[in-house]
PDB file of all heavy atoms in Angstrom:
ATOM      1  N   GLU A  49     163.893-173.815  87.598  1.00  0.00           N
ATOM      2  CA  GLU A  49     164.689-174.733  88.417  1.00  0.00           C
ATOM      3  C   GLU A  49     165.312-173.999  89.612  1.00  0.00           C
ATOM      4  O   GLU A  49     165.306-174.506  90.742  1.00  0.00           O
ATOM      5  CB  GLU A  49     165.787-175.372  87.553  1.00  0.00           C
ATOM      6  CG  GLU A  49     166.445-176.553  88.223  1.00  0.00           C
ATOM      7  CD  GLU A  49     167.257-177.389  87.236  1.00  0.00           C
ATOM      8  OE1 GLU A  49     168.197-176.853  86.620  1.00  0.00           O
ATOM      9  OE2 GLU A  49     166.935-178.567  87.072  1.00  0.00           O
ATOM     10  N   GLY A 127     168.471-182.967  87.776  1.00  0.00           N
ATOM     11  CA  GLY A 127     167.491-182.694  86.732  1.00  0.00           C
ATOM     12  C   GLY A 127     166.802-183.965  86.294  1.00  0.00           C
ATOM     13  O   GLY A 127     167.078-185.060  86.797  1.00  0.00           O
ATOM     14  N   ASP A 128     165.898-183.839  85.335  1.00  0.00           N
ATOM     15  CA  ASP A 128     165.163-185.022  84.886  1.00  0.00           C
ATOM     16  C   ASP A 128     166.082-186.002  84.160  1.00  0.00           C
ATOM     17  O   ASP A 128     165.951-187.216  84.301  1.00  0.00           O
ATOM     18  CB  ASP A 128     163.984-184.633  83.993  1.00  0.00           C
ATOM     19  CG  ASP A 128     164.389-183.682  82.881  1.00  0.00           C
ATOM     20  OD1 ASP A 128     164.814-182.567  83.203  1.00  0.00           O
ATOM     21  OD2 ASP A 128     164.273-184.050  81.695  1.00  0.00           O
ATOM     22  N   GLY A 129     167.076-185.464  83.408  1.00  0.00           N
ATOM     23  CA  GLY A 129     168.006-186.359  82.717  1.00  0.00           C
ATOM     24  C   GLY A 129     168.790-187.171  83.727  1.00  0.00           C
ATOM     25  O   GLY A 129     168.876-188.393  83.654  1.00  0.00           O
ATOM     26  N   TYR A 154     164.203-182.052  89.707  1.00  0.00           N
ATOM     27  CA  TYR A 154     163.674-180.817  89.116  1.00  0.00           C
ATOM     28  C   TYR A 154     163.465-181.084  87.635  1.00  0.00           C
ATOM     29  O   TYR A 154     164.420-181.132  86.854  1.00  0.00           O
ATOM     30  CB  TYR A 154     164.646-179.654  89.326  1.00  0.00           C
ATOM     31  CG  TYR A 154     164.910-179.406  90.798  1.00  0.00           C
ATOM     32  CD1 TYR A 154     166.096-179.828  91.405  1.00  0.00           C
ATOM     33  CD2 TYR A 154     163.958-178.775  91.593  1.00  0.00           C
ATOM     34  CE1 TYR A 154     166.326-179.625  92.757  1.00  0.00           C
ATOM     35  CE2 TYR A 154     164.173-178.572  92.951  1.00  0.00           C
ATOM     36  CZ  TYR A 154     165.360-178.991  93.523  1.00  0.00           C
ATOM     37  OH  TYR A 154     165.582-178.797  94.863  1.00  0.00           O
ATOM     38  N   ASP A 155     162.213-181.282  87.283  1.00  0.00           N
ATOM     39  CA  ASP A 155     161.876-181.763  85.952  1.00  0.00           C
ATOM     40  C   ASP A 155     161.597-180.589  85.009  1.00  0.00           C
ATOM     41  O   ASP A 155     160.550-179.948  85.091  1.00  0.00           O
ATOM     42  CB  ASP A 155     160.642-182.669  86.062  1.00  0.00           C
ATOM     43  CG  ASP A 155     160.224-183.249  84.721  1.00  0.00           C
ATOM     44  OD1 ASP A 155     160.957-183.046  83.729  1.00  0.00           O
ATOM     45  OD2 ASP A 155     159.169-183.910  84.684  1.00  0.00           O
ATOM     46  N   ASN A 156     162.563-180.313  84.119  1.00  0.00           N
ATOM     47  CA  ASN A 156     162.301-179.307  83.089  1.00  0.00           C
ATOM     48  C   ASN A 156     162.160-179.979  81.711  1.00  0.00           C
ATOM     49  O   ASN A 156     162.206-179.346  80.679  1.00  0.00           O
ATOM     50  CB  ASN A 156     163.350-178.193  83.079  1.00  0.00           C
ATOM     51  CG  ASN A 156     164.761-178.750  83.023  1.00  0.00           C
ATOM     52  OD1 ASN A 156     164.967-179.889  82.609  1.00  0.00           O
ATOM     53  ND2 ASN A 156     165.737-177.935  83.419  1.00  0.00           N
ATOM     54  N   GLU A 157     161.986-181.270  81.759  1.00  0.00           N
ATOM     55  CA  GLU A 157     161.557-182.072  80.615  1.00  0.00           C
ATOM     56  C   GLU A 157     162.563-182.157  79.464  1.00  0.00           C
ATOM     57  O   GLU A 157     162.171-182.338  78.321  1.00  0.00           O
ATOM     58  CB  GLU A 157     160.183-181.608  80.126  1.00  0.00           C
ATOM     59  CG  GLU A 157     159.139-181.660  81.258  1.00  0.00           C
ATOM     60  CD  GLU A 157     157.711-181.418  80.794  1.00  0.00           C
ATOM     61  OE1 GLU A 157     157.522-180.634  79.859  1.00  0.00           O
ATOM     62  OE2 GLU A 157     156.796-182.040  81.364  1.00  0.00           O
ATOM     63  N   ALA A 158     163.841-181.999  79.759  1.00  0.00           N
ATOM     64  CA  ALA A 158     164.892-182.252  78.768  1.00  0.00           C
ATOM     65  C   ALA A 158     166.265-182.023  79.400  1.00  0.00           C
ATOM     66  O   ALA A 158     166.362-181.550  80.531  1.00  0.00           O
ATOM     67  CB  ALA A 158     164.733-181.371  77.540  1.00  0.00           C
ATOM     68  N   TYR A 159     167.303-182.353  78.672  1.00  0.00           N
ATOM     69  CA  TYR A 159     168.684-182.071  79.095  1.00  0.00           C
ATOM     70  C   TYR A 159     168.951-180.625  78.714  1.00  0.00           C
ATOM     71  O   TYR A 159     169.358-180.333  77.597  1.00  0.00           O
ATOM     72  CB  TYR A 159     169.683-182.946  78.341  1.00  0.00           C
ATOM     73  CG  TYR A 159     169.647-184.427  78.640  1.00  0.00           C
ATOM     74  CD1 TYR A 159     168.518-185.190  78.378  1.00  0.00           C
ATOM     75  CD2 TYR A 159     170.780-185.057  79.151  1.00  0.00           C
ATOM     76  CE1 TYR A 159     168.522-186.555  78.637  1.00  0.00           C
ATOM     77  CE2 TYR A 159     170.783-186.421  79.409  1.00  0.00           C
ATOM     78  CZ  TYR A 159     169.652-187.166  79.156  1.00  0.00           C
ATOM     79  OH  TYR A 159     169.652-188.505  79.401  1.00  0.00           O
ATOM     80  N   MET A 160     168.724-179.734  79.627  1.00  0.00           N
ATOM     81  CA  MET A 160     168.816-178.326  79.284  1.00  0.00           C
ATOM     82  C   MET A 160     170.261-177.836  79.276  1.00  0.00           C
ATOM     83  O   MET A 160     170.662-177.045  78.441  1.00  0.00           O
ATOM     84  CB  MET A 160     167.985-177.486  80.253  1.00  0.00           C
ATOM     85  CG  MET A 160     166.494-177.812  80.187  1.00  0.00           C
ATOM     86  SD  MET A 160     165.884-177.807  78.488  1.00  0.00           S
ATOM     87  CE  MET A 160     164.151-178.141  78.745  1.00  0.00           C
TER      88      MET A 160
HETATM   89 MG1   MG C 605     166.332-181.280  82.582  1.00  0.00          MG
END
Side-chain angles (χ1 to χ4, degrees):
Chain A
E49 193 165 60
D128 50 297
Y154 301 103
D155 181 6
N156 52 21
E157 304 189 326
Y159 292 62
M160 297 310 182

